[in-house]
């Protein structure tokens, strides 16, 4: 079985079209179509339903996909096993991260990593939604939260301290919250649909009801609203370091409660040995976080 044909099938499943697979692989759509046809002839089954604009897997295609992915992973691992230890990373590295952390931390780390490893290409997906990294063909997810999916492999990279923040103009108008109960009297900037914030108080977790005039679907929206003196919101220390140093935001420690600590995680889709490109990038990101 030709692994180049298998690669077209896997990329087509990820992209939802043969044209998309061709773009990712750097081949023509005609070549991708021929490779798909050759694979279907080899396995003796139709693997995809084709239309002029899109593609979907047949029942046989869905059954074959995990085996196809495993074949490609095995090839990558085999190549990495005999690659000189000082040869660096190579190939396409797909990473996903939240919008704010990706823009401020992961993207600069990626640029530095690509300069040091000229044979690496990076596809960075920035989203505040949780991505299915297995189905999406993602090599690495950088997540900031308590991890719930035990089927994934994760490495803790660093602490992620969080606190409440507000702009000086807001605090001058509304006063400074000192205790947890004081938040009921303040405009809280919250994620869309949220009604409570979780805190740790007296060794246990408590839920504080919050409300405000501004909500957003992502942290970056809350951050900008906070800078605009619209209210109080929880943010990560790495996200506000510059604004705090410049006096544009003020940290608001509470006397009787604190936000629970989170961690920054590197999450892998498989327990198999990670390719060199993943291992080396995670090490570079961990160093960058340690320096920060």
């Amino acid at each position: 079985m030709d692994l180049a044909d298998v690669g077209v099938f896997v990329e087509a499943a990820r992209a939802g079209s043969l044209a998309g697979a061709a773009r990712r692989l750097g081949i023509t759509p005609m070549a991708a179509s021929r490779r798909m046809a050759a694979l279907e002839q080899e396995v003796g089954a139709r693997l995809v339903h084709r239309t002029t604009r899109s593609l979907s897997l047949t029942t046989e295609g869905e059954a074959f996909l995990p085996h196809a992915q495993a074949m490609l992973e095995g090839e990558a691992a085999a190549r990495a096993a005999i690659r000189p230890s000082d040869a660096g990373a190579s190939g396409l590295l797909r990473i996903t991260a939240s919008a704010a952390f990706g823009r401020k931390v992961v993207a600069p780390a990626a640029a530095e990593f690509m300069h040091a490893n000229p044979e690496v290409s990076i596809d960075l997906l920035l989203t505040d939604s949780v991505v299915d990294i297995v189905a999406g063909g993602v090599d690495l997810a950088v997540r900031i939260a308590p991890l719930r999916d035990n089927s994934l492999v994760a490495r803790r990279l660093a602490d992620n301290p969080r606190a409440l923040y507000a702009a000086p103009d807001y605090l001058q108008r509304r006063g400074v919250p000192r205790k947890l109960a004081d938040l009921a009297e303040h405009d809280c900037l919250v994620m869309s649909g949220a009604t409570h914030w979780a805190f740790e108080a007296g060794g246990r977790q408590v839920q504080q009801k919050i409300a405000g005039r501004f909500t957003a679907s992502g942290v970056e929206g809350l951050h900008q609203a906070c800078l605009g003196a619209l209210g109080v919101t929880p943010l990560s220390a790495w996200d506000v370091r510059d604004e705090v140093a410049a006096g544009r935001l003020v940290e608001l420690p509470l006397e009787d409660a604190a936000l629970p600590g989170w961690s920054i995680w590197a999450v892998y889709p498989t327990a198999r040995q990670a390719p060199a490109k993943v291992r080396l990038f995670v090490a570079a990101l961990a160093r960058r976080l340690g320096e920060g």
Side-chain angles (χ1 to χ4, degrees):
M1 192 176 298
D2 191 329
L3 287 178
D5 298 345
V6 175
V8 168
F9 168 67
V10 171
E11 289 297 339
R14 290 170 178 164
S17 71
L18 279 173
R23 283 194 299 272
R24 291 187 179 190
L25 295 170
I27 61 177
T28 66
M30 180 65 72
S33 181
R34 287 173 179 166
R35 288 199 172 277
M36 179 66 75
L39 179 62
E40 290 180 322
Q41 185 175 0
E42 174 70 24
V43 300
R46 178 181 284 267
L47 299 175
V48 297
H49 296 297
R50 300 177 182 84
T51 67
T52 55
R53 291 174 178 255
S54 64
L55 169 151
S56 62
L57 298 184
T58 63
T59 302
E60 292 79 8
E62 290 177 352
F64 181 64
L65 181 59
H67 300 286
Q69 291 169 327
M71 279 188 264
L72 296 179
E73 287 177 5
E75 181 199 27
R79 291 181 182 276
I82 61 174
R83 187 176 176 86
S85 58
D86 60 349
S90 63
L92 176 61
L93 175 59
R94 294 191 176 94
I95 308 169
T96 183
S98 66
F101 189 75
R103 179 174 58 83
K104 285 197 170 184
V105 181
V106 179
E112 184 177 306
F113 186 73
M114 292 175 69
H115 286 304
N117 297 270
E119 294 184 29
V120 167
S121 300
I122 289 182
D123 180 18
L124 179 58
L125 171 62
L126 300 182
T127 175
D128 290 329
S129 300
V130 177
V131 175
D132 184 337
I133 62 176
V134 176
V138 174
D139 298 299
L140 172 68
V142 183
R143 292 180 177 168
I144 305 174
L147 292 184
R148 296 185 177 87
D149 191 342
N150 294 327
S151 67
L152 301 175
V153 180
R155 172 187 166 183
R156 184 179 172 280
L157 298 178
D159 290 330
N160 186 70
R162 297 185 306 141
L164 297 177
Y165 294 90
D169 287 352
Y170 173 84
L171 298 174
Q172 186 175 8
R173 293 197 319 269
R174 302 293 300 275
V176 178
R178 304 291 183 186
K179 295 187 176 182
L180 189 59
D182 294 344
L183 293 177
E185 305 301 321
H186 281 267
D187 288 327
C188 295
L189 310 174
V190 301
M191 297 290 284
S192 301
T195 58
H196 292 75
W197 283 339
F199 288 87
E200 291 178 349
R204 61 189 182 91
Q205 190 171 90
V206 298
Q207 297 287 326
Q208 173 64 38
K209 185 174 178 58
I210 42 84
R213 296 166 51 215
F214 183 91
T215 62
S217 61
V219 173
E220 289 202 290
L222 301 180
H223 188 164
Q224 292 303 312
C226 192
L227 286 168
L230 290 181
V232 177
T233 198
L235 295 167
S236 297
W238 55 262
D239 199 15
V240 297
R241 187 174 291 113
D242 293 342
E243 289 92 339
V244 170
R248 298 175 63 199
L249 288 179
V250 177
E251 183 177 346
L252 305 172
L254 300 178
E255 297 173 3
D256 57 350
L259 291 167
W262 287 355
S263 295
I264 303 171
W265 297 88
V267 183
Y268 312 90
T270 176
R272 295 185 181 91
Q273 182 179 8
K277 60 186 178 182
V278 176
R279 289 185 283 105
L280 292 174
F281 181 78
V282 168
L285 182 59
R287 288 194 299 271
R288 189 180 187 90
L289 291 170
E291 294 167 358

